[in-house]
Amino acid sequence: MADVLHKSLDDPDEVVEFPHVRVALVDLGDLTVGRMVNEPGWRWSTDIRPTVGGEWCQARHVGIVLSGRLGIDFPDGTSFVFGAGDVFDIPPGHDGYTVGDEPVVQLEWAGLRAWAGFPTGIRSRVLATLLFTDLVGSTELARRLGDGPWRELLSRYFEAIRGELERFGGREVKTTGDGMLATFDGAARALHCAAAIRRAAGRDDLHLRIGVHVGEVELVGQDVRGVAVHEAARIMAAAGPDEILVSDLTRALAGGAGFSFEDRGTHVLKGLEGEWRLSVFVEETDARKA
């Protein structure tokens, strides 16, 4: 069964305000849905253009008017007015405004981020260190423990991870079944956190595979997207039990901080082009055991 995504516009991920307009936004996977309230007197060219620039609004808008009347002007002189219940698909290159003395309330599911000058495309891409965890043998463990004890153990496991993320400045992006994806602003922090997570899991006799990778990602609400996320997941999948496997770039960036690594040679990672040189992060305690 596919995942069901659910959020409320009464508890939005983001709220954006310009003169005479307020927008509540939620992100559902790749879809951004917004509720926009345009006050009487609102006009895109007067209230939004000074911030985002351009002569005409260059966003394509798809949505529905819930109440009020929304006016749209085009450069060729044509105009349209949409009222309550009207579903619209407005092409780029227009000016929008509130008609009359009643606020316009509308829902949109395309065009809001470009309309408001949100970071989109290249401007929303940042360099991040990605950390993926996965619990080894989780299916067998869940079967052996039973539903109740397994849920309790999993809850304790995630609580431990979140404690280490807070300690090392990581940000939880999402859970992935019995694993987690987190981001960091540096490779060293991510590796310290990975080692701490592994130690915490070991106290409950849990064994993890962890992947750490540095790459450019796209910010989509609270989520991160892009090829680098898939690369990090594949690196994690190639790790053995209790291994912290890292990409060559991660090793290069963290090497100056005095970390130790063991070369694991080149790998072909499923769905990715070329060969990838990977290394295992070795803590000082690991090195002494060897």
Side-chain angles (χ1 to χ4, degrees), residues 19 38 49-50 65 82 101 129 160 170 175 186 207 209 215 238:
N38 309 328
R49 182 169 62 185
V65 176
F82 303 101
D101 298 327
T129 302
T175 56
H207 302 278
R209 55 172 58 92

Side-chain angles (χ1 to χ4, degrees), residues 202-224:
R203 289 194 286 270
D204 278 321
D205 198 27
L206 298 176
H207 302 278
L208 304 181
R209 55 172 58 92
I210 300 176
V212 181
H213 177 49
V214 177
E216 194 175 60
V217 299
E218 183 178 3
L219 305 178
V220 182
Q222 299 301 308
D223 203 356
V224 292

